[in-house]
Amino acid sequence: MATFLYKLGRLAFRRRHFVALIWVALLTLAGVGAASAPAAGNSSFSIPGTEAQKAFDLLEQRFPGMSADGATARVVFKAPDGEKMTDAAHKATVEKTVKELSDGSEVASVADPYEGNAVSKDGSIAYASVSYKVSGMELEDSSRDALETAADEARDAGLTVEIGGDALQTTPETGATEIIGIAIAAVVLVITFGSLLAAGLPLLTAIIGVGIGVSTIAALAAALDLGSTTSTLASMIGLAVGIDYALFIVSRYRAELAEGRSREDAAGRAVGTAGSAVVFAGLTVVIALVGLSVVNIPMLTKMGVAAAGTVVIAVLIALTMIPALLGFAGRRVRPAGEKSKLLGGGRAKSAAKPNMGTRWASFVVRRPVAVLLLGVLGLGAAAVPAASLELGLPDDGAQPTSTTQRKAYDLLSEGFGPGFNGPLMIVVDAKGSDDAKAAFTEVGDEIKGLKNVVTVTPAAPNKAGDTATITVIPDSKPSSASTEELVHAIRDKGSDIKASTDAEVLVTGSTAMNIDVSQKLNDALIPYLILVVGLAFLLLIVVFRSILVPLKAALGFLLSVMAALGAVVAVFQWGWLSGLMGVEETGPVMSMMPIFMVGVVFGLAMDYEVFLVTRMREAYVHGEKPSQAVVTGFRHGARVVTAAAVIMMAVFAGFIGSSESMIKMIGFGLAIAVFFDAFIVRMAIVPAVLALLGKRAWWLPKWLDRALPNVDVEGEGLRTRSDAGDEDRELVRA
């Protein structure tokens, strides 16, 4: 592989105009496609194989005019202190608002609060339910504007009016902190390279890669039902790995220049060696992201595949566009150790001394046991909160307190109880029952006898009379453990009811769907770990030609991801540092967070493993002792890996400023996971373990050594290549 990539790097260097033209054309094509395509909305959400989804599908079949997947809104009214919503003036205002809302072309129905018993017992709060014919992602802006205009008019009449539901859902904003993250990445690159031009190359190529990836997602959003969160994740991952991959190749190029090679040969060797590591690091990220499809949640699968596509683009750009841009830059990209005049270059050099990476690695090699114990115990302590992990999906109660959705949620809780925001819909399929009406009545009576139930509405059958819906209001909020226990209790009762009446009882609604999603994700976590870690383990055996090094990499990853989950629990569930992170409401951790972190963090963790340990492997293969190879690997790779980790942390941390709680949690979780993995696992635990193992770290059974393909990540094949003629060609170009 190293030889092939070496030739590719030299070709891209020589044909740089052609290579640059191709990537600019791809960016333009993707941009035109995105500009002409419909805007991405909220992706349709389905969970195949769950009871909640089965009930939802049954509703669409038995209640064809119900618009079960249509957007909904709750317009909540509150009277001024000392007054009631039943007062004549307030009643007239509400009825006028209901009439205005009913005029919308996309509105299916509007429930009058006074006809539907939607006024609180104390008379201070009432709500009108609005159902739409289309889903939230298809809802036109004119319908949202009409909803907000009607609310404003009611406010002008003296009422407090807030709007809940999914009708007002918008694309999440990431805030200015994302720009700050990119700015920090730029500063780190300048410090690392000592050159503004060299620092700008990784940023430029990463932005182009993300531009192509995100524009392609936007162009295909309507056709493939991709939600707005999909492009956010792709930009987050693509930007981070795009900068890192380019950083490693530019760094290796400058190191090759420092050894006296011509610029074309240095570009080829940089792509042949660091590029090989980029390919395998990218493969581990792609495996982890595409592997999310085993969970069988379409939305998660689409997010993973889209992000994986952006990673593939980042790898291809690093292998082709970086050497092309290095060709354009010429002598302005200096050898390693030289700085531009603007940043202090040209001054007299002090006597050479070991860099920080060398000194740190030497320290670890001398005291491996102490470093190993300290690292493991530190990560273990950080992982302790993970034992209290509670999972759930965010609802309007997790929105910032400044939003109208959150205010509506709080008003409904105040007037009707916390469970009112998470009603359970019971679907009774009595098609196989001899007495459907009796079955409907029995279901209602059985549910009324359960704990934590406030209200059970009468059964509402369809026209055929073989299916009915019953609404159950719990006494606890949607994300609580008590509500989850109630859902399981109703389903347990359903088994008994089916035995006696042949009627099937299904529980659905957003709350039940969230519970089923959490369970599905929990059930898929172990198979997903086995698949992703197993495939990556086999890949790393090929890369490192060792059994113990990939095993150590996998165990170190488990330590870092558990510690990161512990940090997420401490901030988002326990509330530690919540004010600093902008977390206005603590509660359960997003149910897809553990499996998502496992996928993304594993891929990123293997990036650092591949980049750092391949340098050690390269030194060992070329004759150095195991302990010295560890030091050599750190001398060449520690500075770059540190810079890459800081950049990735800055990019991920930039998403903490998002208005969407899910994006905020993902940004924090990935940033802290990169910190744990890069600076504790890869920088401390890895060299300590390799120092303790010695030559055994690189042991591989002979039969397996013969069976494995030789991918030559270390660039051994390039050592035999002659540099004859390179200098002459360089002089001609100069």
Side-chain angles (χ1 to χ4, degrees):
M1 174 175 283
T3 303
F4 168 75
L5 292 178
Y6 169 81
K7 294 177 180 178
L8 178 65
R10 294 190 66 161
L11 178 65
F13 187 95
R14 291 196 303 271
R15 302 285 184 263
R16 46 188 172 271
H17 295 88
F18 181 67
V19 171
L21 183 63
I22 289 177
W23 284 111
V24 170
L26 288 174
L27 179 61
T28 303
L29 184 64
V32 170
S36 58
N42 298 307
S43 177
S44 58
F45 193 74
S46 63
I47 313 295
T50 62
E51 181 175 316
Q53 186 64 44
K54 182 181 178 182
F56 184 81
D57 295 339
L58 185 65
L59 283 174
E60 290 190 328
Q61 179 185 345
R62 304 285 177 84
F63 294 82
M66 188 176 178
S67 298
D69 62 342
T72 59
R74 276 179 172 173
V75 183
V76 187
F77 307 89
K78 183 177 182 180
D81 292 341
E83 301 178 21
K84 296 183 179 296
M85 289 304 304
T86 51
D87 294 345
H90 299 326
K91 189 173 182 180
T93 299
V94 172
E95 289 174 345
K96 179 184 177 184
T97 303
V98 169
K99 185 177 182 303
E100 290 178 356
L101 291 172
S102 302
D103 294 337
S105 60
E106 293 183 316
V107 175
S109 64
V110 181
D112 189 306
Y114 304 103
E115 295 177 4
N117 194 27
V119 181
S120 62
K121 290 182 180 179
D122 63 3
S124 64
I125 297 173
Y127 69 91
S129 297
V130 186
S131 299
Y132 292 88
K133 299 174 184 177
V134 297
S135 65
M137 66 176 294
E138 298 170 321
L139 201 63
E140 294 182 359
D141 290 339
S142 59
S143 295
R144 294 190 176 94
D145 292 341
L147 183 62
E148 293 176 331
T149 299
D152 287 338
E153 291 179 359
R155 290 188 186 104
D156 292 340
L159 296 175
T160 298
V161 186
E162 305 297 345
I163 305 171
D166 61 355
L168 290 185
Q169 284 186 355
T170 57
T171 303
E173 299 176 358
T174 53
T177 49
E178 182 182 355
I179 306 301
I180 295 174
I182 297 175
I184 293 173
V187 172
V188 172
L189 287 169
V190 171
I191 294 173
T192 302
F193 289 136
S195 165
L196 292 173
L197 181 63
L201 293 182
L203 279 176
L204 175 63
T205 54
I207 290 171
I208 291 174
V210 169
I212 293 173
V214 172
S215 297
T216 302
I217 291 170
L220 299 175
L224 300 181
D225 189 25
L226 303 177
S228 55
T229 308
T230 304
S231 59
T232 305
L233 173 67
S235 64
M236 184 190 299
I237 303 297
L239 190 61
V241 301
I243 293 174
D244 279 5
Y245 295 164
L247 166 64
F248 283 107
I249 290 179
V250 173
S251 177
R252 187 61 182 253
Y253 170 76
R254 296 177 74 235
E256 296 292 341
L257 287 180
E259 293 182 9
R261 303 192 189 281
S262 69
R263 294 188 177 275
E264 181 179 322
D265 190 47
R269 288 176 180 271
V271 175
T273 51
S276 297
V278 165
V279 169
F280 282 100
L283 275 176
T284 60
V285 180
V286 169
I287 287 172
L289 290 170
V290 174
L292 290 170
S293 59
V294 303
V295 183
N296 195 26
I297 295 180
M299 184 187 74
L300 196 60
T301 299
K302 292 171 185 176
M303 289 172 66
V305 172
T310 308
V311 172
V312 171
I313 293 172
V315 171
L316 293 175
I317 283 184
L319 297 179
T320 56
M321 194 171 185
I322 282 293
L325 292 178
L326 290 172
F328 284 119
R331 297 184 181 277
R332 286 171 290 180
V333 175
R334 301 169 181 271
E338 290 187 18
K339 295 182 179 180
S340 64
K341 293 182 179 180
L342 181 63
L343 297 172
R347 298 173 184 171
K349 293 184 179 180
S350 58
K353 63 178 181 179
N355 60 21
M356 181 65 75
T358 302
R359 297 197 296 273
W360 169 250
S362 300
F363 170 79
V364 174
V365 167
R366 290 196 304 271
R367 297 175 177 81
V369 175
V371 172
L372 178 61
L373 287 176
L374 191 61
V376 171
L377 290 176
L379 290 178
V384 168
S388 303
L389 178 67
E390 295 177 8
L391 298 176
L393 285 178
D395 52 26
D396 283 347
Q399 295 273 3
T401 54
S402 59
T403 62
T404 187
Q405 293 96 327
R406 173 60 186 278
K407 291 176 181 177
Y409 180 97
D410 292 339
L411 285 176
L412 288 171
S413 297
E414 177 188 338
F416 302 93
F420 197 80
N421 285 291
L424 305 176
M425 179 177 286
I426 314 302
V427 181
V428 185
D429 181 6
K431 198 168 187 178
S433 177
D434 295 332
D435 190 345
K437 289 184 178 180
F440 299 154
T441 302
E442 183 175 342
V443 171
D445 292 341
E446 289 287 346
I447 294 175
K448 286 178 183 177
L450 296 175
K451 295 180 180 179
N452 197 32
V453 173
V454 174
T455 305
V456 178
T457 64
N462 62 350
K463 290 183 179 179
D466 58 4
T467 308
T469 61
I470 299 172
T471 301
V472 177
I473 306 298
D475 190 32
S476 51
K477 63 181 182 179
S479 58
S480 68
S482 299
T483 302
E484 183 175 350
E485 291 171 3
L486 176 60
V487 170
H488 292 310
I490 295 173
R491 288 172 174 171
D492 291 340
K493 283 289 183 184
S495 301
D496 299 334
I497 293 170
K498 185 171 185 179
S500 61
T501 66
D502 291 326
E504 187 174 10
V505 179
L506 304 172
V507 186
T508 189
S510 60
T511 301
M513 183 71 82
N514 289 351
I515 292 170
D516 287 351
V517 169
S518 297
Q519 187 61 50
K520 192 176 182 70
L521 289 165
N522 286 339
D523 293 342
L525 184 57
I526 299 302
Y528 176 69
L529 265 174
I530 293 172
L531 173 69
V532 172
V533 177
L535 287 175
F537 182 78
L538 295 176
L539 185 66
L540 292 178
I541 288 177
V542 174
V543 174
F544 296 127
R545 308 195 77 77
S546 163
I547 297 293
L548 295 179
V549 170
L551 179 61
K552 172 237 357 140
L555 293 176
F557 151 74
L558 291 176
L559 270 175
S560 60
V561 80
M562 288 303 297
L565 273 177
V568 169
V569 169
V571 173
F572 290 90
Q573 188 175 311
W574 291 0
W576 294 4
L577 301 178
S578 57
L580 181 63
M581 298 297 167
V583 180
E584 296 188 18
E585 185 73 20
T586 59
V589 172
M590 183 181 63
S591 54
M592 65 178 67
M593 193 68 186
I595 200 165
F596 184 80
M597 282 188 65
V598 165
V600 177
V601 175
F602 181 79
L604 301 179
M606 294 307 103
D607 276 5
Y608 302 121
E609 182 75 15
V610 169
F611 288 130
L612 195 58
V613 180
T614 47
R615 271 291 199 171
M616 300 177 191
R617 168 78 182 171
E618 185 178 339
Y620 177 75
V621 166
H622 294 151
E624 292 189 9
K625 293 181 179 180
S627 59
Q628 184 56 40
V630 171
V631 176
T632 299
F634 268 75
R635 181 172 70 248
H636 292 294
R639 180 184 178 88
V640 181
V641 168
T642 299
V646 172
I647 289 168
M648 201 169 280
M649 287 168 58
V651 172
F652 288 149
F655 289 85
I656 296 175
S658 173
S659 60
E660 179 68 38
S661 59
M662 182 174 75
I663 300 299
K664 183 189 293 287
M665 190 179 294
I666 289 174
F668 172 79
L670 294 183
I672 198 69
V674 168
F675 171 77
F676 287 145
D677 195 86
F679 293 106
I680 299 180
V681 174
R682 309 303 153 189
M683 290 289 186
I685 294 178
V686 165
V689 171
L690 291 178
L692 289 171
L693 290 175
K695 289 185 178 180
R696 289 168 294 181
W698 309 108
W699 170 79
L700 188 70
K702 291 183 179 180
W703 64 268
L704 185 57
D705 189 36
R706 291 191 298 268
L708 291 177
N710 183 13
V711 295
D712 189 23
V713 177
E714 303 84 17
E716 180 65 23
L718 301 182
R719 290 240 167 181
T720 61
R721 299 188 68 89
S722 171
D723 292 337
D726 284 343
E727 289 77 5
D728 294 338
R729 286 193 294 272
E730 179 70 5
L731 289 172
V732 170
R733 289 190 187 87

